[in-house]
Amino acid sequence: MIDVEATMRRKNNYSQLAGVLLVAILAVAVSGGLAWSMGSRVPVVGAPAEDFRLADLEGKQQSLSQYRGKVVLVNFWATWCKPCTTEMPAMQATYDRLRDKGFVVLAINELEDDAKVREHIKQHGHTFPVLMDRENKVANQFGVFGLPVSVFIDEKGVVQEYIKGGLLTEQLILDVVAKIQKHEPMKAASLH
């Protein structure tokens, strides 16, 4: 005869053990003990964006803080990333349209050779600043895991939207920039 109470106690003990293990794994992951991704953590919408300094394709150092007073689209990309290169014309069109109205695009290339990136930018006629994240430090700082990732930062240096994956369109960029400039509340990390 099956001891129903003993079976229930074992199931309950297994459930408790699984719960304890899950909590322990999450605690280690949150504290940084496990490397789940290249990125450390996604910036919190509504929190100040952490400043960074990177060289552009001419070797000139640029920082996020030098663009304070402008709405900044920080876009993480690579030449081998098809969605990245597909969304770049929309970024260029919006940059052309809004750069005199306080908008800038900072395209941060991850881990690629300067010559390859320079050729790609020249071939496609992009004129927005391209910064080289040679050691992946800024991508890690912004919690980037997978490409493309776009972070919209307001005039005060506060993260207003974080978009992982998906495809930026000219209309999407215009809408986000308009909301930021009107100081409307934005949404947390989104998957478009």
Side-chain angles (χ1 to χ4, degrees):
M1 189 164 185
I2 298 175
D3 183 353
V4 175
E5 282 185 38
T7 303
M8 294 299 287
R9 278 194 302 272
R10 274 195 302 275
K11 284 185 179 180
N12 192 28
N13 287 342
Y14 288 133
S15 293
Q16 287 175 345
L17 180 60
V20 168
L21 286 173
L22 181 60
V23 168
I25 290 168
L26 288 174
V28 171
V30 168
S31 69
L34 293 178
W36 289 97
S37 68
M38 294 185 305
S40 56
R41 63 184 160 88
V42 172
V44 176
V45 170
E50 192 176 334
D51 197 18
F52 59 80
R53 292 183 64 78
L54 290 172
D56 62 20
L57 287 171
E58 286 72 47
K60 181 181 166 197
Q61 289 290 313
Q62 294 201 35
S63 66
L64 178 60
S65 59
Q66 82 185 58
Y67 293 100
R68 194 67 38 89
K70 295 180 181 281
V71 174
V72 181
L73 163 55
V74 177
N75 178 264
F76 293 90
W77 72 286
T79 60
W80 52 261
C81 167
K82 181 70 172 152
C84 299
T85 58
T86 300
E87 70 184 2
M88 287 182 115
M91 292 165 40
Q92 182 65 53
T94 312
Y95 177 66
D96 290 343
R97 186 168 169 182
L98 299 179
R99 76 174 129 197
D100 294 333
K101 297 176 183 165
F103 174 71
V104 69
V105 172
L106 297 178
I108 299 180
N109 179 272
E110 285 194 65
L111 302 170
E112 289 190 285
D113 175 72
D114 287 23
K116 183 176 195 171
V117 173
R118 190 176 290 110
E119 177 56 35
H120 177 87
I121 294 301
K122 181 181 173 187
Q123 178 184 350
H124 295 282
H126 300 310
T127 60
F128 43 74
V130 175
L131 308 180
M132 303 303 292
D133 193 5
R134 292 182 184 95
E135 297 173 9
N136 220 41
K137 286 182 180 176
V138 177
N140 286 337
Q141 177 180 319
F142 278 78
V144 174
F145 178 71
L147 295 173
V149 168
S150 296
V151 184
F152 287 84
I153 300 167
D154 71 14
E155 302 92 335
K156 295 177 183 173
V158 175
V159 175
Q160 293 297 322
E161 186 152 348
Y162 187 97
I163 301 172
K164 178 179 175 8
L167 204 56
L168 292 180
T169 63
E170 191 174 346
Q171 190 60 55
L172 176 63
I173 298 169
L174 289 169
D175 290 347
V176 172
V177 171
K179 285 180 187 177
I180 292 171
Q181 290 177 331
K182 288 180 186 172
H183 304 288
E184 293 179 13
M186 298 303 293
K187 59 186 175 190
S190 57
L191 298 173
H192 287 273

